[in-house]
Structure formats: C-alpha cells, structure tokens
Amino acid sequence: MLIQRVARDRAVNRLDPEYLAQWRAYYRNVVERYVAGAMSWTDAHNALVSLGFRDHALKIEMLEMDKARARWAKQH
C-alpha cells in the first residue's frame, strides 16, 4: 500500500494550498459540529460526501465521528 500512499501524497501536494486549507477547515467544522450534537448524522454524512468521501472511507469516518460523539457526551 506504499504506492497508494505515495500517489495520494503527490496528489495532495499538487493542490492549491488555499483550497486545501479551506477543505480542512470545512472538514474540521463538520466533525466538531457533529461531535457536539449540533449536526444530525444525515447532515454530517452528506457533508462528508460533498468533500469527496466515498464507500468504505465514508463508513470509517462516520464510525469514528460516532465514537467521538459518544465520548464527548460522557464528558458533558
């Protein structure tokens, strides 16, 4: 899988830094809002799809966000 990682790194390095910063900020906002309970599962799912997450990566990301939301709920 090293080849895939290198290919991904090269693709990311070709992106406009401003665009990449906007993408990361939007992603962080989605995660923070979902974890805090300010965004529904469906809205978070659709937001991640709009960012380009698909299939298995989308399922993993939503699972991790669900875990973070559960931890956050226990603390508050």
Side-chain angles (χ1 to χ4, degrees):
M1 299 317 136
L2 178 61
I3 293 171
Q4 291 173 342
R5 196 172 315 140
V6 169
R8 183 183 66 232
D9 289 345
R10 288 181 182 163
V12 168
N13 288 337
R14 284 188 293 232
L15 292 175
D16 177 30
E18 289 180 30
Y19 172 79
L20 192 56
Q22 288 177 340
W23 188 96
R24 287 180 175 149
Y26 182 73
Y27 170 78
R28 277 193 308 272
N29 186 7
V30 168
V31 171
E32 288 171 4
R33 289 178 54 211
Y34 180 76
V35 168
M39 180 182 273
S40 70
W41 187 94
T42 303
D43 290 340
H45 180 274
N46 290 338
L48 291 178
V49 168
S50 75
L51 286 174
F53 285 90
R54 299 287 187 269
D55 302 326
H56 191 66
L58 179 61
K59 290 177 185 176
I60 291 171
E61 200 64 31
M62 290 304 298
L63 178 63
E64 290 302 316
M65 288 171 53
D66 285 338
K67 288 178 185 177
R69 185 183 229 179
R71 286 191 303 270
W72 186 85
K74 286 181 181 179
Q75 294 174 353
H76 293 91

